[in-house]
Amino acid sequence: MSDWHAVRQTMRDFALSLPETHEDFPWGDRVIKVNKKVFLFLGIDEPTEKWNPSFGVKLQSEAHGHALTVEGAEPSGYGLGKAGWVTVPFQSALPDVELLLDWVEESYRTIAPKRAIKLLNSEAQGEADQ
């Protein structure tokens, strides 16, 4: 998927398919939340003079380091980078979409309450049993 809009939409759709999630627009930015906490920043819908399309996720371990290898990726601003948040530009050469979705899920699992993670795990187990 070379079109950043399509990649962004795929990430959005996946994030909203996770248990107890909803979309919100604080500060005019599109975010996906679980339990009133952001786990995926998607920014504004179109680039401006001051904004280039990017997404933000909270990652740990090797996923964090891998995300930072994407050209233009950096620890997120406002002190979020110190807590593991990474901002990745959509218009860079991105890894496969499946890996991006793994990052979204890791961010979700980092932020979500235990009951939501339990729901996600039971859904995944149900799919594996089929």
Side-chain angles (χ1 to χ4, degrees):
M1 289 183 158
S2 59
D3 176 26
W4 72 269
H5 288 96
V7 172
R8 184 176 186 257
Q9 186 64 42
T10 299
M11 292 174 71
R12 177 186 172 272
D13 292 346
F14 175 75
L16 289 171
S17 76
L18 299 170
E20 300 184 13
T21 60
H22 66 280
E23 192 168 51
D24 199 3
F25 298 90
W27 325 285
D29 291 345
R30 183 180 302 269
V31 301
I32 311 298
K33 294 181 174 182
V34 59
N35 198 32
K36 300 181 183 179
K37 294 182 178 180
V38 175
F39 71 95
L40 175 61
F41 287 93
L42 290 170
I44 58 176
D45 290 340
E46 292 298 327
T48 67
E49 287 181 16
K50 295 182 179 181
W51 183 80
N52 289 317
S54 63
F55 66 91
V57 286
K58 185 172 184 174
L59 301 173
Q60 318 226 335
S61 65
E62 69 267 3
H64 185 268
H66 188 197
L68 287 172
T69 66
V70 174
E71 183 181 340
E74 60 188 9
S76 299
Y78 305 104
L80 294 173
K82 292 179 183 175
W85 286 91
V86 179
T87 300
V88 181
F90 275 115
Q91 295 175 319
S92 292
L94 295 172
D96 289 340
V97 171
E98 291 304 317
L99 181 59
L100 300 179
L101 299 183
D102 287 347
W103 292 351
V104 170
E105 184 174 333
E106 181 175 327
S107 187
Y108 172 86
R109 287 178 179 277
T110 302
I111 302 294
K114 289 180 183 177
R115 72 175 181 279
I117 294 170
K118 191 173 182 179
L119 279 171
L120 178 62
N121 290 340
S122 66
E123 288 174 8
Q125 182 62 42
E127 289 173 11
D129 290 342
Q130 292 180 3

